[in-house]
PDB file of all heavy atoms in Angstrom:
ATOM      1  N   GLU B 114      -4.894 -34.806   7.087  1.00  0.00           N
ATOM      2  CA  GLU B 114      -6.021 -34.303   7.838  1.00  0.00           C
ATOM      3  C   GLU B 114      -6.779 -35.408   8.472  1.00  0.00           C
ATOM      4  O   GLU B 114      -6.973 -36.475   7.919  1.00  0.00           O
ATOM      5  CB  GLU B 114      -6.937 -33.443   6.970  1.00  0.00           C
ATOM      6  CG  GLU B 114      -8.130 -32.903   7.789  1.00  0.00           C
ATOM      7  CD  GLU B 114      -8.882 -31.733   7.034  1.00  0.00           C
ATOM      8  OE1 GLU B 114      -8.514 -31.419   5.978  1.00  0.00           O
ATOM      9  OE2 GLU B 114      -9.893 -31.243   7.659  1.00  0.00           O
ATOM     10  N   PHE B 115      -7.262 -35.180   9.766  1.00  0.00           N
ATOM     11  CA  PHE B 115      -7.990 -36.172  10.461  1.00  0.00           C
ATOM     12  C   PHE B 115      -9.440 -35.639  10.720  1.00  0.00           C
ATOM     13  O   PHE B 115      -9.505 -34.540  11.421  1.00  0.00           O
ATOM     14  CB  PHE B 115      -7.343 -36.543  11.767  1.00  0.00           C
ATOM     15  CG  PHE B 115      -8.152 -37.524  12.570  1.00  0.00           C
ATOM     16  CD1 PHE B 115      -8.311 -38.883  12.159  1.00  0.00           C
ATOM     17  CD2 PHE B 115      -8.671 -37.180  13.809  1.00  0.00           C
ATOM     18  CE1 PHE B 115      -9.012 -39.798  12.996  1.00  0.00           C
ATOM     19  CE2 PHE B 115      -9.430 -38.126  14.589  1.00  0.00           C
ATOM     20  CZ  PHE B 115      -9.610 -39.383  14.110  1.00  0.00           C
ATOM     21  N   ILE B 116     -10.494 -36.323  10.232  1.00  0.00           N
ATOM     22  CA  ILE B 116     -11.829 -35.906  10.568  1.00  0.00           C
ATOM     23  C   ILE B 116     -12.470 -37.056  11.331  1.00  0.00           C
ATOM     24  O   ILE B 116     -12.449 -38.180  10.801  1.00  0.00           O
ATOM     25  CB  ILE B 116     -12.616 -35.507   9.352  1.00  0.00           C
ATOM     26  CG1 ILE B 116     -14.078 -35.194   9.643  1.00  0.00           C
ATOM     27  CG2 ILE B 116     -12.583 -36.559   8.214  1.00  0.00           C
ATOM     28  CD1 ILE B 116     -14.345 -33.818  10.248  1.00  0.00           C
ATOM     29  N   SER B 117     -13.032 -36.792  12.497  1.00  0.00           N
ATOM     30  CA  SER B 117     -13.459 -37.891  13.364  1.00  0.00           C
ATOM     31  C   SER B 117     -14.918 -38.217  13.150  1.00  0.00           C
ATOM     32  O   SER B 117     -15.781 -37.388  13.054  1.00  0.00           O
ATOM     33  CB  SER B 117     -13.185 -37.538  14.838  1.00  0.00           C
ATOM     34  OG  SER B 117     -13.386 -38.682  15.652  1.00  0.00           O
ATOM     35  N   LEU B 118     -15.227 -39.472  13.211  1.00  0.00           N
ATOM     36  CA  LEU B 118     -16.619 -40.015  12.985  1.00  0.00           C
ATOM     37  C   LEU B 118     -16.933 -40.987  14.142  1.00  0.00           C
ATOM     38  O   LEU B 118     -16.113 -41.693  14.590  1.00  0.00           O
ATOM     39  CB  LEU B 118     -16.759 -40.809  11.664  1.00  0.00           C
ATOM     40  CG  LEU B 118     -16.442 -39.979  10.414  1.00  0.00           C
ATOM     41  CD1 LEU B 118     -16.617 -40.966   9.202  1.00  0.00           C
ATOM     42  CD2 LEU B 118     -17.538 -38.915  10.251  1.00  0.00           C
ATOM     43  N   HIS B 119     -18.254 -41.053  14.423  1.00  0.00           N
ATOM     44  CA  HIS B 119     -18.739 -42.129  15.361  1.00  0.00           C
ATOM     45  C   HIS B 119     -20.054 -42.616  14.805  1.00  0.00           C
ATOM     46  O   HIS B 119     -21.108 -42.026  14.906  1.00  0.00           O
ATOM     47  CB  HIS B 119     -18.964 -41.610  16.792  1.00  0.00           C
ATOM     48  CG  HIS B 119     -19.474 -42.616  17.705  1.00  0.00           C
ATOM     49  ND1 HIS B 119     -20.044 -42.294  18.866  1.00  0.00           N
ATOM     50  CD2 HIS B 119     -19.559 -43.962  17.604  1.00  0.00           C
ATOM     51  CE1 HIS B 119     -20.426 -43.414  19.507  1.00  0.00           C
ATOM     52  NE2 HIS B 119     -20.117 -44.465  18.735  1.00  0.00           N
ATOM     53  N   PRO B 120     -20.026 -43.822  14.178  1.00  0.00           N
ATOM     54  CA  PRO B 120     -21.220 -44.527  13.733  1.00  0.00           C
ATOM     55  C   PRO B 120     -21.937 -45.023  14.989  1.00  0.00           C
ATOM     56  O   PRO B 120     -21.287 -45.952  15.654  1.00  0.00           O
ATOM     57  CB  PRO B 120     -20.810 -45.643  12.831  1.00  0.00           C
ATOM     58  CG  PRO B 120     -19.307 -45.488  12.648  1.00  0.00           C
ATOM     59  CD  PRO B 120     -18.869 -44.683  13.841  1.00  0.00           C
ATOM     60  N   MET B 121     -23.037 -44.559  15.375  1.00  0.00           N
ATOM     61  CA  MET B 121     -23.740 -45.017  16.637  1.00  0.00           C
ATOM     62  C   MET B 121     -24.433 -46.363  16.451  1.00  0.00           C
ATOM     63  O   MET B 121     -25.707 -46.459  16.437  1.00  0.00           O
ATOM     64  CB  MET B 121     -24.684 -43.946  17.186  1.00  0.00           C
ATOM     65  CG  MET B 121     -23.942 -42.826  17.793  1.00  0.00           C
ATOM     66  SD  MET B 121     -25.084 -41.636  18.606  1.00  0.00           S
ATOM     67  CE  MET B 121     -25.702 -42.655  20.067  1.00  0.00           C
ATOM     68  N   CYS B 122     -23.639 -47.423  16.240  1.00  0.00           N
ATOM     69  CA  CYS B 122     -24.328 -48.733  16.072  1.00  0.00           C
ATOM     70  C   CYS B 122     -23.293 -49.744  16.497  1.00  0.00           C
ATOM     71  O   CYS B 122     -22.128 -49.514  16.722  1.00  0.00           O
ATOM     72  CB  CYS B 122     -24.763 -48.961  14.625  1.00  0.00           C
ATOM     73  SG  CYS B 122     -23.561 -48.631  13.463  1.00  0.00           S
ATOM     74  N   GLY B 123     -23.765 -50.969  16.493  1.00  0.00           N
ATOM     75  CA  GLY B 123     -22.849 -52.050  16.967  1.00  0.00           C
ATOM     76  C   GLY B 123     -23.700 -53.320  17.108  1.00  0.00           C
ATOM     77  O   GLY B 123     -24.953 -53.321  16.848  1.00  0.00           O
ATOM     78  N   LYS B 124     -23.076 -54.458  17.366  1.00  0.00           N
ATOM     79  CA  LYS B 124     -23.717 -55.701  17.533  1.00  0.00           C
ATOM     80  C   LYS B 124     -23.120 -56.307  18.804  1.00  0.00           C
ATOM     81  O   LYS B 124     -22.098 -55.891  19.293  1.00  0.00           O
ATOM     82  CB  LYS B 124     -23.480 -56.602  16.303  1.00  0.00           C
ATOM     83  CG  LYS B 124     -24.189 -56.131  15.017  1.00  0.00           C
ATOM     84  CD  LYS B 124     -25.627 -56.492  14.972  1.00  0.00           C
ATOM     85  CE  LYS B 124     -26.374 -55.569  14.098  1.00  0.00           C
ATOM     86  NZ  LYS B 124     -27.845 -55.628  14.253  1.00  0.00           N
ATOM     87  N   GLU B 125     -23.885 -57.330  19.224  1.00  0.00           N
ATOM     88  CA  GLU B 125     -23.330 -58.055  20.471  1.00  0.00           C
ATOM     89  C   GLU B 125     -22.344 -59.113  20.063  1.00  0.00           C
ATOM     90  O   GLU B 125     -22.097 -60.078  20.721  1.00  0.00           O
ATOM     91  CB  GLU B 125     -24.526 -58.718  21.191  1.00  0.00           C
ATOM     92  CG  GLU B 125     -25.494 -57.697  21.802  1.00  0.00           C
ATOM     93  CD  GLU B 125     -26.893 -57.860  21.287  1.00  0.00           C
ATOM     94  OE1 GLU B 125     -27.224 -58.885  20.844  1.00  0.00           O
ATOM     95  OE2 GLU B 125     -27.625 -56.878  21.353  1.00  0.00           O
TER      96      GLU B 125
END
Side-chain angles (χ1 to χ4, degrees):
Chain B
E114 182 165 359
F115 178 69
I116 175 80
S117 192
L118 296 177
H119 179 195
M121 284 186 68
C122 52
K124 291 279 155 196
E125 293 122 22

